[in-house]
């Protein structure tokens, strides 16, 4: 295992920086610092881990599940929302050059195991799909920040689409373990693509979740149909936080909806193409509006988790 210290002294600093103050929950208790605050600069240790493939198989026609055994207790240092850079293998037909960023689907129960859930879409993931059990794979991380979750909250909403649920799954497990009620909105192209059991992995999550599934195939996932449904869910039951990942359309929808609910925390795990994953190359910069101050921030370093209300732009990434 090789280690590099990812601290403000030895990596590129945020393009703009603002403080990340502690926030307070609705009952006056102090919550953990806002993980989605603009230009978060908390440093952590990043390592290259040499892993062995324990399990690797197709979940359905689109997605694959990968479970690795690392050379260190990665389960103890990885938090919901963080990601790793994977060194995809070179095959006879594919030669991926850059490492591929991939959000963490799960860790444990052994301290050295880590899981990924991914969609085979390009050169890197096609090469990754060829790995067999017992093969070796290098990963770099953990990278990025984490979600804000106050265990004194009562109910949170999770809105996920496609493979975005892989990013949200650890958050769902953490919330369920704390006894929080869950409103889960799952979006997919069709029922065949929906991974409900893979998302609600634990008995606690299944017992605490009020699940709403929407699909492209029947039009129920369309913004015009889904937006009033989410508004009705938030109006019917008090929620403390809303989280999303996997679709820019869903992000913009929730931004509009949360404008009427200033009391609700809103966070998004951004999906963005990136090269280094450590804040040096600046290829994943996005525009944010932090309390009226427009800032270009790196998704890999200041994110990938940001406040929903801070995101600027209508570019559709899926």
């Amino acid at each position: 295992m090789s280690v590099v210290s990812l601290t403000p002294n030895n990596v590129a600093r945020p393009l703009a920086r603002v403080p990340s103050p502690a926030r307070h929950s609705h009952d006056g208790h102090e919550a953990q610092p806002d993980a989605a605050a603009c230009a978060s600069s908390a440093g952590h240790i990043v390592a290259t881990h040499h892993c062995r493939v324990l399990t690797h198989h197709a979940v359905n026609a689109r997605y694959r599940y990968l479970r690795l055994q690392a050379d260190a207790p990665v389960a103890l240092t990885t938090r919901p929302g963080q990601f790793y850079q994977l060194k995809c293998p070179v095959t006879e037909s594919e030669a991926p050059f850059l490492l591929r960023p991939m959000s963490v689907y799960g860790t444990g129960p052994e301290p050295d195991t880590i899981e990924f859930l991914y969609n085979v879409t390009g050169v890197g993931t096609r090469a990754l799909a060829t790995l067999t059990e017992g093969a070796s794979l290098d990963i770099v991380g953990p990278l990025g920040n984490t979600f804000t979750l106050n265990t004194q909250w009562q109910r949170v909403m999770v809105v996920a689409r496609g493979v975005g649920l892989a990013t949200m799954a650890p958050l769902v497990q953490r919330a369920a373990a704390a006894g929080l009620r869950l409103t889960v909105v799952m979006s997919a192209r069709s029922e065949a693509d929906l991974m409900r059991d893979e998302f609600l992995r634990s008995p606690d999550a299944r017992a605490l979740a009020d699940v709403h599934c929407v699909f492209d195939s029947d039009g129920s996932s369309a913004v015009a149909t889904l937006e009033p449904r989410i508004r009705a869910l938030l109006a019917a039951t008090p929620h403390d936080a809303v989280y999303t990942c996997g679709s820019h359309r869903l992000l913009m929808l929730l931004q509009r909806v949360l404008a009427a609910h200033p009391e609700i925390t809103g966070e998004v795990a951004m999906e963005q193409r990136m090269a280094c994953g450590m804040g040096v190359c600046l290829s994943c910069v996005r525009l944010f509006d932090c309390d009226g101050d427009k800032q270009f921030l790196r998704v890999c370093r200041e994110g990938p988790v940001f406040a929903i209300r801070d995101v600027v732009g209508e570019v559709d990434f899926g």
Side-chain angles (χ1 to χ4, degrees), residues 53-109:
V53 177
L54 296 177
T55 306
H56 192 197
H57 59 79
V59 175
N60 54 33
R62 292 176 57 82
Y63 302 108
R64 296 186 64 84
Y65 168 81
L66 175 64
R67 186 166 183 259
L68 304 174
Q69 183 178 45
D71 56 5
V74 291
L76 305 180
T77 58
T78 306
R79 301 291 178 261
Q82 292 186 306
F83 68 97
Y84 281 75
Q85 292 272 78
L86 277 60
K87 186 177 181 181
C88 301
V90 174
T91 69
E92 291 183 1
S93 59
E94 311 289 357
F97 176 65
L98 295 172
L99 278 66
R100 296 308 196 265
M102 195 167 292
S103 59
V104 177
Y105 172 56
T107 56

Side-chain angles (χ1 to χ4, degrees), residues 18-281:
V18 295
S20 178
R23 298 187 304 128
H24 292 269
S25 62
H26 300 166
D27 59 5
H29 291 83
E30 186 173 331
Q32 55 183 290
D34 188 352
C38 289
S40 170
S41 59
H44 55 269
I45 300 299
V46 174
T48 297
H49 298 286
H50 305 290
C51 303
R52 181 170 66 91
V53 177
L54 296 177
T55 306
H56 192 197
H57 59 79
V59 175
N60 54 33
R62 292 176 57 82
Y63 302 108
R64 296 186 64 84
Y65 168 81
L66 175 64
R67 186 166 183 259
L68 304 174
Q69 183 178 45
D71 56 5
V74 291
L76 305 180
T77 58
T78 306
R79 301 291 178 261
Q82 292 186 306
F83 68 97
Y84 281 75
Q85 292 272 78
L86 277 60
K87 186 177 181 181
C88 301
V90 174
T91 69
E92 291 183 1
S93 59
E94 311 289 357
F97 176 65
L98 295 172
L99 278 66
R100 296 308 196 265
M102 195 167 292
S103 59
V104 177
Y105 172 56
T107 56
E110 298 83 3
D112 59 353
T113 56
I114 188 167
E115 302 166 298
F116 300 94
L117 192 67
Y118 68 97
N119 185 10
V120 181
T121 58
V123 172
T125 48
R126 285 197 301 268
L128 192 67
T130 66
L131 287 174
T132 58
E133 294 183 6
S136 297
L137 178 69
D138 287 350
I139 65 175
V140 180
L143 298 164
N145 62 358
T146 185
F147 292 101
T148 300
L149 182 67
N150 188 337
T151 56
Q152 296 181 358
W153 286 342
Q154 298 300 310
R155 177 180 286 271
V156 299
M157 175 182 286
V158 177
V159 184
R161 177 175 172 83
V163 78
L165 70 83
T167 306
M168 312 296 290
L171 173 67
V172 167
Q173 300 307 310
R174 185 74 59 87
L180 276 65
R181 306 294 300 184
L182 299 161
T183 300
V184 176
V185 179
M186 300 184 64
S187 175
R189 294 186 179 185
S190 66
E191 288 194 50
D193 291 330
L194 191 72
M195 294 180 284
R196 176 170 177 159
D197 291 341
E198 287 77 14
F199 194 41
L200 304 172
R201 305 179 71 183
S202 69
D204 285 345
R206 291 190 288 273
L208 292 168
D210 173 25
V211 183
H212 303 262
C213 302
V214 296
F215 307 101
D216 297 356
S217 56
D218 62 9
S220 57
S221 66
V223 170
T225 303
L226 185 57
E227 185 166 336
R229 186 170 182 176
I230 290 179
R231 289 184 184 275
L233 289 171
L234 292 178
T237 309
H239 287 72
D240 298 289
V242 175
Y243 307 94
T244 191
C245 180
S247 168
H248 197 76
R249 287 189 291 270
L250 290 179
L251 167 60
M252 294 294 99
L253 182 160
L254 292 175
Q255 198 171 68
R256 293 191 298 272
V257 169
L258 290 178
H261 295 276
E263 77 284 359
I264 298 178
T265 296
E267 293 183 349
V268 55
M270 300 289 289
E271 293 186 344
Q272 187 78 357
R273 293 184 181 276
M274 58 183 68
C276 73
M278 297 184 184
V280 177
C281 71

